Amino acid sequence: MSEQLQRTVLAGRQVALGARMVPFAGWEMPVQYSDGIIAEHQHTRNAVSLFDICHMGEFQIRGTGAVAALDRLLARPVLNQPIGSCRYNFLLNDAGGVLDDLVVYRMAADDCFLVVNAGTRAADAAHLRALLPAGVTLVDLSDGLAKLDLQGPRSAEVLAQLGVPAASLPKYFHWTLLEIAQVRCILSRTGYTGELGFELYFDVEKAGAMWDRLLEVEPVKPAGLGARDTLRLEMGYSLYGHELTPEVTPLDVGAAPLLKLAEQPGRDFVGRAALEKAGVRRRLIGIGCEGRRAARGGYAVRAGGRTIGTVTSGAFAPSLGVAVALASVTADCGLEIGDPVSIETERAAIGGKVRALPFYPAGSVRKKL
C-alpha cells in the first residue's frame, strides 16, 4: 500500500476480521471480508450489514444567510428543505458539470450539515468557501466524526435491540439526534444499498466501541466496498467518478425530475444557465448482460451498427444472477427497454438488452416501520 493512503480509525479491526484492503479515493479501505462480496451482498439484501464509511467528508455550514447561500450554490433547493430532513443534491461548476453529489441535512434555520465524497472533500471545501458570503462559515468536521452505515431489512430490529424503538426512528430521508449504545449520534434513514438502512455520525473516539457493539448484535456482519458497489449498481445509483464527473451534468444522468427547472423558473443557482442551454445531451441506461461476464467502465456500447456510448459501471449482480451495467449513451440513440445492445471488450463482445432501472426493484428501502 502507498504510504500516502489514509486509514480510517477502524482499519485495524477490519484487518483482524479478515478484510482485504484496497486503495479507494486516497484511503485504504476494506473491499471484502472472508465471506466474500457475493455473501456480503446477499446478507445485506436479506438481513443486515455494517459498513465503515468513515472516509466520507462532513461539513457544517452555518451563519446568517447560510441556507440562502447554499440555495444559490447547489442544484436542488435548500431554502424549502424542512428542518429534520435530508436531501440528495449536486454541487455544479459554471458549465453545469457535477463537482460532487452530496446529501444536505437541514439542522436548523441557518445551519446545514453536508455529507460529501471522500475524493472531493478538499476541493468541495475550497469551492464552497470561495463562494460563501461573509458571515457564513464552513467547518470541516470530517476528521472528528465517524460514520457507520447499518443497512438491510433487519436494521431497525438491530437498533431496537440497542434500545432504540421503531417509533424513535426517523422517516425516510430524515434524521434525528439520539443515543445508541450510550453514544450521542446523528441517525439518518439514508443509505446507498436500496435496503432499509440508517447512517450513524458520532465522535470518532467512539468508533471502535460502536463498531464492536453493533457487530455483537445478531445478525449483523461486516461488509466492504465490493458489496456496497454491487448493491448500488443493482439500484442504478450513480457513483462519483463513474456516472458523475465535472463533464457530466445532472440532466445527463436522468436527474431532471429532481431539479424541476421548469417548475422553479425564478430560482438561480451556479450552473443553471448552462444546464438550460445544453439540455439533455446524454442518457444513463441500464443493460442486462448475457451471462455472468461483467462489462467494465469505458467499454463501448453499440446498437444498430454504430457506437452510441460507453459503460460507466458494470459488475455481476448477485440478486439477479447475471451481469449488469450502467452506460452513458447519446440522448438521440432511440433505445427502448428490451432493445438489444452489444458491449465491446478487448476480447469478444458481450450481448445484452436495455433494462429498466432499478435492476432490482424489490429492496426494502421504503419499508414502513
Short mmCIF file of all heavy atoms in Angstrom, two decimals, residues 50 150 155-165 178-183 200 209-218 220:
data_model
loop_
_atom_site.label_atom_id
_atom_site.label_comp_id
_atom_site.label_asym_id
_atom_site.label_seq_id
_atom_site.Cartn_x
_atom_site.Cartn_y
_atom_site.Cartn_z
N LEU A 50 -22.95 -4.10 8.25
CA LEU A 50 -22.35 -2.88 8.79
C LEU A 50 -21.18 -2.47 7.90
O LEU A 50 -20.29 -3.27 7.63
CB LEU A 50 -21.85 -3.13 10.21
CG LEU A 50 -21.24 -1.94 10.94
CD1 LEU A 50 -22.27 -0.83 11.14
CD2 LEU A 50 -20.65 -2.38 12.29
N LEU A 150 -25.55 1.13 8.71
CA LEU A 150 -26.23 -0.11 9.07
C LEU A 150 -27.33 -0.32 8.05
O LEU A 150 -28.30 0.45 8.01
CB LEU A 150 -26.80 0.00 10.48
CG LEU A 150 -27.36 -1.27 11.13
CD1 LEU A 150 -26.24 -2.26 11.42
CD2 LEU A 150 -28.11 -0.93 12.40
N SER A 155 -32.31 -3.92 9.83
CA SER A 155 -31.54 -2.89 10.54
C SER A 155 -32.33 -2.26 11.68
O SER A 155 -31.77 -1.94 12.74
CB SER A 155 -31.05 -1.82 9.56
OG SER A 155 -32.12 -1.28 8.81
N ALA A 156 -33.62 -2.05 11.51
CA ALA A 156 -34.42 -1.47 12.59
C ALA A 156 -34.50 -2.44 13.78
O ALA A 156 -34.52 -2.00 14.94
CB ALA A 156 -35.82 -1.12 12.09
N GLU A 157 -34.52 -3.74 13.51
CA GLU A 157 -34.52 -4.73 14.59
C GLU A 157 -33.24 -4.62 15.42
O GLU A 157 -33.26 -4.74 16.65
CB GLU A 157 -34.62 -6.14 14.02
CG GLU A 157 -35.91 -6.46 13.29
CD GLU A 157 -35.86 -7.85 12.69
OE1 GLU A 157 -35.21 -8.74 13.28
OE2 GLU A 157 -36.46 -8.06 11.62
N VAL A 158 -32.13 -4.38 14.74
CA VAL A 158 -30.85 -4.25 15.43
C VAL A 158 -30.88 -3.04 16.35
O VAL A 158 -30.46 -3.11 17.52
CB VAL A 158 -29.70 -4.14 14.41
CG1 VAL A 158 -28.39 -3.79 15.11
CG2 VAL A 158 -29.56 -5.44 13.64
N LEU A 159 -31.37 -1.93 15.85
CA LEU A 159 -31.44 -0.73 16.67
C LEU A 159 -32.39 -0.93 17.85
O LEU A 159 -32.14 -0.43 18.95
CB LEU A 159 -31.87 0.46 15.82
CG LEU A 159 -30.85 0.89 14.75
CD1 LEU A 159 -31.42 1.99 13.88
CD2 LEU A 159 -29.55 1.35 15.40
N ALA A 160 -33.46 -1.68 17.64
CA ALA A 160 -34.39 -1.97 18.74
C ALA A 160 -33.68 -2.75 19.84
O ALA A 160 -33.91 -2.51 21.04
CB ALA A 160 -35.59 -2.73 18.22
N GLN A 161 -32.81 -3.68 19.45
CA GLN A 161 -32.06 -4.44 20.45
C GLN A 161 -31.08 -3.56 21.23
O GLN A 161 -30.67 -3.92 22.33
CB GLN A 161 -31.29 -5.58 19.78
CG GLN A 161 -32.18 -6.68 19.22
CD GLN A 161 -31.36 -7.83 18.66
OE1 GLN A 161 -30.58 -8.47 19.37
NE2 GLN A 161 -31.54 -8.11 17.37
N LEU A 162 -30.74 -2.41 20.66
CA LEU A 162 -29.86 -1.47 21.33
C LEU A 162 -30.64 -0.37 22.05
O LEU A 162 -30.07 0.65 22.45
CB LEU A 162 -28.89 -0.86 20.32
CG LEU A 162 -27.91 -1.84 19.69
CD1 LEU A 162 -27.10 -1.18 18.58
CD2 LEU A 162 -26.96 -2.42 20.74
N GLY A 163 -31.95 -0.56 22.18
CA GLY A 163 -32.75 0.36 22.96
C GLY A 163 -33.38 1.49 22.18
O GLY A 163 -33.85 2.46 22.78
N VAL A 164 -33.40 1.39 20.85
CA VAL A 164 -34.00 2.44 20.02
C VAL A 164 -35.26 1.86 19.37
O VAL A 164 -35.17 1.15 18.36
CB VAL A 164 -33.03 2.94 18.94
CG1 VAL A 164 -33.65 4.08 18.15
CG2 VAL A 164 -31.70 3.36 19.55
N PRO A 165 -36.43 2.15 19.91
CA PRO A 165 -37.66 1.59 19.34
C PRO A 165 -37.99 2.19 17.99
O PRO A 165 -37.54 3.29 17.64
CB PRO A 165 -38.72 1.96 20.38
CG PRO A 165 -38.19 3.18 21.05
CD PRO A 165 -36.69 3.01 21.07
N LEU A 178 -30.06 11.07 18.80
CA LEU A 178 -30.38 10.13 19.87
C LEU A 178 -29.13 9.41 20.34
O LEU A 178 -28.04 9.62 19.79
CB LEU A 178 -31.45 9.13 19.42
CG LEU A 178 -31.34 8.44 18.05
CD1 LEU A 178 -30.19 7.47 17.99
CD2 LEU A 178 -32.64 7.72 17.73
N GLU A 179 -29.28 8.59 21.36
CA GLU A 179 -28.16 7.81 21.88
C GLU A 179 -28.31 6.36 21.45
O GLU A 179 -29.38 5.77 21.54
CB GLU A 179 -28.11 7.88 23.41
CG GLU A 179 -27.52 9.17 23.93
CD GLU A 179 -27.15 9.10 25.40
OE1 GLU A 179 -27.34 8.01 26.02
OE2 GLU A 179 -26.68 10.11 25.95
N ILE A 180 -27.21 5.80 20.96
CA ILE A 180 -27.12 4.39 20.63
C ILE A 180 -25.91 3.84 21.36
O ILE A 180 -24.79 4.35 21.21
CB ILE A 180 -26.97 4.17 19.11
CG1 ILE A 180 -28.17 4.75 18.37
CG2 ILE A 180 -26.79 2.68 18.79
CD1 ILE A 180 -28.04 4.72 16.86
N ALA A 181 -26.12 2.82 22.18
CA ALA A 181 -25.04 2.25 22.98
C ALA A 181 -24.31 3.33 23.78
O ALA A 181 -23.09 3.34 23.85
CB ALA A 181 -24.07 1.47 22.10
N GLN A 182 -25.09 4.26 24.32
CA GLN A 182 -24.60 5.36 25.16
C GLN A 182 -23.71 6.35 24.40
O GLN A 182 -22.92 7.08 25.01
CB GLN A 182 -23.84 4.81 26.38
CG GLN A 182 -24.72 3.94 27.28
CD GLN A 182 -23.98 3.43 28.49
OE1 GLN A 182 -22.81 3.05 28.42
NE2 GLN A 182 -24.67 3.41 29.62
N VAL A 183 -23.87 6.39 23.10
CA VAL A 183 -23.12 7.33 22.27
C VAL A 183 -24.12 8.26 21.57
O VAL A 183 -25.08 7.79 20.94
CB VAL A 183 -22.25 6.61 21.22
CG1 VAL A 183 -21.57 7.61 20.29
CG2 VAL A 183 -21.23 5.71 21.89
N LEU A 200 -25.04 6.48 10.76
CA LEU A 200 -24.74 6.99 12.09
C LEU A 200 -23.51 7.88 12.04
O LEU A 200 -22.47 7.48 11.49
CB LEU A 200 -24.47 5.84 13.08
CG LEU A 200 -25.60 4.89 13.46
CD1 LEU A 200 -25.92 3.92 12.34
CD2 LEU A 200 -25.19 4.09 14.70
N ALA A 209 -15.64 1.33 19.81
CA ALA A 209 -16.65 0.76 20.70
C ALA A 209 -17.98 0.58 19.98
O ALA A 209 -18.67 -0.44 20.17
CB ALA A 209 -16.83 1.67 21.92
N MET A 210 -18.36 1.54 19.14
CA MET A 210 -19.63 1.43 18.40
C MET A 210 -19.57 0.29 17.39
O MET A 210 -20.53 -0.50 17.26
CB MET A 210 -19.96 2.75 17.70
CG MET A 210 -21.26 2.73 16.91
SD MET A 210 -22.72 2.60 17.94
CE MET A 210 -22.90 4.33 18.42
N TRP A 211 -18.48 0.19 16.66
CA TRP A 211 -18.29 -0.90 15.69
C TRP A 211 -18.42 -2.25 16.38
O TRP A 211 -19.17 -3.13 15.92
CB TRP A 211 -16.93 -0.75 15.03
CG TRP A 211 -16.49 -1.83 14.11
CD1 TRP A 211 -15.70 -2.89 14.43
CD2 TRP A 211 -16.77 -1.97 12.71
NE1 TRP A 211 -15.47 -3.68 13.32
CE2 TRP A 211 -16.11 -3.13 12.25
CE3 TRP A 211 -17.49 -1.20 11.80
CZ2 TRP A 211 -16.17 -3.55 10.93
CZ3 TRP A 211 -17.55 -1.62 10.47
CH2 TRP A 211 -16.91 -2.78 10.05
N ASP A 212 -17.72 -2.42 17.50
CA ASP A 212 -17.76 -3.69 18.23
C ASP A 212 -19.17 -3.99 18.73
O ASP A 212 -19.64 -5.13 18.64
CB ASP A 212 -16.80 -3.65 19.42
CG ASP A 212 -15.34 -3.56 19.00
OD1 ASP A 212 -15.03 -3.83 17.81
OD2 ASP A 212 -14.51 -3.22 19.86
N ARG A 213 -19.84 -2.97 19.27
CA ARG A 213 -21.18 -3.20 19.83
C ARG A 213 -22.17 -3.59 18.76
O ARG A 213 -23.00 -4.49 18.95
CB ARG A 213 -21.66 -1.93 20.55
CG ARG A 213 -23.01 -2.11 21.24
CD ARG A 213 -22.89 -3.06 22.42
NE ARG A 213 -24.19 -3.36 23.01
CZ ARG A 213 -24.94 -4.42 22.69
NH1 ARG A 213 -24.51 -5.28 21.77
NH2 ARG A 213 -26.09 -4.64 23.30
N LEU A 214 -22.13 -2.94 17.61
CA LEU A 214 -23.06 -3.27 16.54
C LEU A 214 -22.82 -4.68 16.01
O LEU A 214 -23.78 -5.41 15.70
CB LEU A 214 -22.95 -2.26 15.40
CG LEU A 214 -23.54 -0.87 15.70
CD1 LEU A 214 -23.13 0.13 14.62
CD2 LEU A 214 -25.05 -0.92 15.83
N LEU A 215 -21.56 -5.09 15.92
CA LEU A 215 -21.26 -6.44 15.43
C LEU A 215 -21.62 -7.53 16.44
O LEU A 215 -21.70 -8.70 16.07
CB LEU A 215 -19.78 -6.54 15.05
CG LEU A 215 -19.37 -5.81 13.77
CD1 LEU A 215 -17.88 -5.97 13.52
CD2 LEU A 215 -20.16 -6.32 12.56
N GLU A 216 -21.86 -7.15 17.69
CA GLU A 216 -22.28 -8.12 18.69
C GLU A 216 -23.74 -8.52 18.53
O GLU A 216 -24.18 -9.55 19.03
CB GLU A 216 -22.09 -7.54 20.10
CG GLU A 216 -20.65 -7.44 20.55
CD GLU A 216 -20.51 -6.72 21.87
OE1 GLU A 216 -21.54 -6.25 22.41
OE2 GLU A 216 -19.37 -6.60 22.36
N VAL A 217 -24.51 -7.68 17.82
CA VAL A 217 -25.96 -7.91 17.69
C VAL A 217 -26.23 -8.81 16.49
O VAL A 217 -25.81 -8.52 15.37
CB VAL A 217 -26.70 -6.56 17.52
CG1 VAL A 217 -28.20 -6.81 17.44
CG2 VAL A 217 -26.37 -5.62 18.67
N GLU A 218 -26.93 -9.89 16.71
CA GLU A 218 -27.32 -10.77 15.61
C GLU A 218 -28.41 -10.10 14.78
O GLU A 218 -29.30 -9.46 15.33
CB GLU A 218 -27.83 -12.10 16.16
CG GLU A 218 -26.75 -12.97 16.79
CD GLU A 218 -25.77 -13.52 15.78
OE1 GLU A 218 -26.14 -13.58 14.58
OE2 GLU A 218 -24.66 -13.86 16.16
N VAL A 220 -25.93 -8.99 12.53
CA VAL A 220 -25.06 -8.03 11.87
C VAL A 220 -23.72 -8.67 11.50
O VAL A 220 -23.09 -9.35 12.31
CB VAL A 220 -24.80 -6.80 12.77
CG1 VAL A 220 -23.90 -5.80 12.05
CG2 VAL A 220 -26.12 -6.14 13.17
#
